[in-house]
């Protein structure tokens, strides 16, 4: 496969996965009330901000790097199954 196509698939796969997982973590953050509430004088936001969005990004990085190293040829030489 063309190296440009491999990078494009990796980029758009990570992009879609990060959007999907960040939305899930945002919803979960509101349901579990894991929020940064604007209390005190130093906060500049006026609405509660969810705090679990970074977990979605970390999971995306872990899934994409492990998937690419196992299936792809972008990271290292990839994994070759015995015949």
């Amino acid at each position: 496969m063309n190296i440009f196509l491999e990078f494009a698939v990796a980029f758009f796969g990570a992009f879609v996965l990060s959007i999907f997982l960040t939305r899930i973590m945002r919803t979960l953050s509101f349901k579990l009330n894991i929020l940064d509430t604007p209390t005190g004088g130093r906060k500049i936001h006026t609405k509660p901000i969810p705090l679990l969005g970074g977990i979605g990004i970390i999971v995306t990085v872990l899934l994409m790097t492990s998937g690419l190293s196992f299936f792809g040829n972008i990271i290292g030489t990839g994994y070759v199954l015995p015949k």
Side-chain angles (χ1 to χ4, degrees), residues 6-80:
E6 288 181 10
F7 278 111
V9 168
F11 173 77
F12 287 114
F15 181 72
V16 170
L17 187 62
S18 68
I19 288 175
F20 178 71
L21 288 177
T22 304
R23 297 269 175 156
I24 289 174
M25 296 315 269
R26 182 180 188 272
T27 305
L28 186 65
S29 182
F30 277 111
K31 284 185 180 179
L32 297 177
N33 200 23
I34 303 174
L35 304 169
D36 181 23
T37 55
T39 57
R42 295 186 58 163
K43 308 262 180 169
I44 61 171
H45 56 278
T46 57
K47 300 184 295 185
I49 304 294
L51 293 174
L52 295 180
I55 294 174
I57 301 297
I58 290 171
V59 170
T60 299
V61 169
L62 292 175
L63 287 175
M64 290 304 292
T65 53
S66 63
L68 289 174
S69 65
F70 187 76
F71 293 113
N73 201 13
I74 295 174
I75 300 172
T77 58
Y79 183 76
V80 179

